[in-house]
Amino acid sequence: MSPAVQVVPASQAEEILDVLCDAFSDYPVMRYVLGSKPDYASRLRALVGLFVGARVAREDLMLGVRDDTGSLVAAALVNLPGGKIPPLAFETFRQSVWAELGEEERRRYEAYGTASNGFHPDEPHHHLGMIGVRASHHGQGLGRVLLDHLHTVVEADPGSGGVSLNTELPRNVELYKYFGYRITGHARVAPDLETWAFFRPGQARAVDAT
């Protein structure tokens, strides 16, 4: 029996942050944006905290899986179709994070955003921003559990055309194809960083297209 996926409320956002910092500690985008300055762990937490904070501010979807002890061990951040405009307080928070991380880091992040955007459909759809599993729980299929749950959510939402995502790990390209995603774009952000955009249409859209 697969572990249950739960919607994680904003009050538990710190748990989401803990999981994603563990899962993305060596991820190419994080290494590229943060560079080689010291105190990588705390700077990573600030950057991932910005991503989590954005979902909380927009009231997007945060999913999680807990182990037998009740600890969160896998998590996903999902932008909802349409998306709410975050309150003004979030902009203040965003500026404070970049002031802490630095202008060069901000420019690298914007370069990544420019390269990775523009490949996804214009129609309203879900976007999987981050999905990660604690290193201690790799190999248990928890990423698949989260993906399957998200796909079920999308199928039940008539306002969503499907799911988009990006990956910067070459080994994930065939994996996402296996789960029904198709490549919608590819770009090289920097000599040691490239990104692939994917989209998985909802079942109704897939049927219409046949």
Side-chain angles (χ1 to χ4, degrees), residues 7 11 23 26 40 44 78 89 100 102 114 124 138 142 145 156 162 166 171-172 177-178 194 196 200 210:
V7 175
S11 60
D26 201 35
Y40 177 80
L44 173 70
V78 184
E100 174 186 348
T114 298
H138 283 180
L142 299 183
V145 169
N166 284 77
R171 67 174 181 268
N172 283 349
K177 287 181 179 178
Y178 173 81
E194 53 189 326
W196 290 264
R200 182 184 190 272
T210 59

Side-chain angles (χ1 to χ4, degrees), residues 2-5 65 131 140-150 179:
S2 297
V5 176
V65 177
I131 180 170
Q140 299 182 21
L142 299 183
R144 177 171 190 155
V145 169
L146 285 168
L147 274 179
D148 286 345
H149 181 85
L150 175 57
F179 283 112

Side-chain angles (χ1 to χ4, degrees), residues 35-50:
S36 58
K37 290 180 182 177
D39 203 10
Y40 177 80
S42 67
R43 295 168 68 244
L44 173 70
R45 191 171 185 87
L47 181 59
V48 177
L50 178 61

Side-chain angles (χ1 to χ4, degrees), residues 22-68:
D22 182 276
F24 283 83
S25 62
D26 201 35
Y27 195 71
V29 173
M30 310 309 170
R31 290 291 182 183
Y32 168 70
V33 172
L34 295 175
S36 58
K37 290 180 182 177
D39 203 10
Y40 177 80
S42 67
R43 295 168 68 244
L44 173 70
R45 191 171 185 87
L47 181 59
V48 177
L50 178 61
F51 303 150
V52 174
R55 273 62 181 201
V56 171
R58 294 196 302 253
E59 299 179 21
D60 282 327
L61 182 62
M62 298 191 296
L63 301 173
V65 177
R66 295 185 181 278
D67 65 10
D68 293 339

Side-chain angles (χ1 to χ4, degrees), residues 95-153:
Q95 295 292 349
S96 70
V97 170
W98 288 120
E100 174 186 348
L101 294 178
E103 189 58 32
E104 285 296 323
E105 287 77 2
R106 181 174 186 162
R107 280 199 286 266
R108 285 195 292 268
Y109 177 70
E110 290 174 349
Y112 164 73
T114 298
S116 61
N117 290 335
F119 295 127
H120 300 308
D122 292 330
E123 67 176 320
H125 64 278
H126 289 72
H127 176 73
L128 179 57
M130 297 181 80
I131 180 170
V133 178
R134 283 190 180 275
S136 59
H137 286 71
H138 283 180
Q140 299 182 21
L142 299 183
R144 177 171 190 155
V145 169
L146 285 168
L147 274 179
D148 286 345
H149 181 85
L150 175 57
H151 298 160
T152 300
V153 169

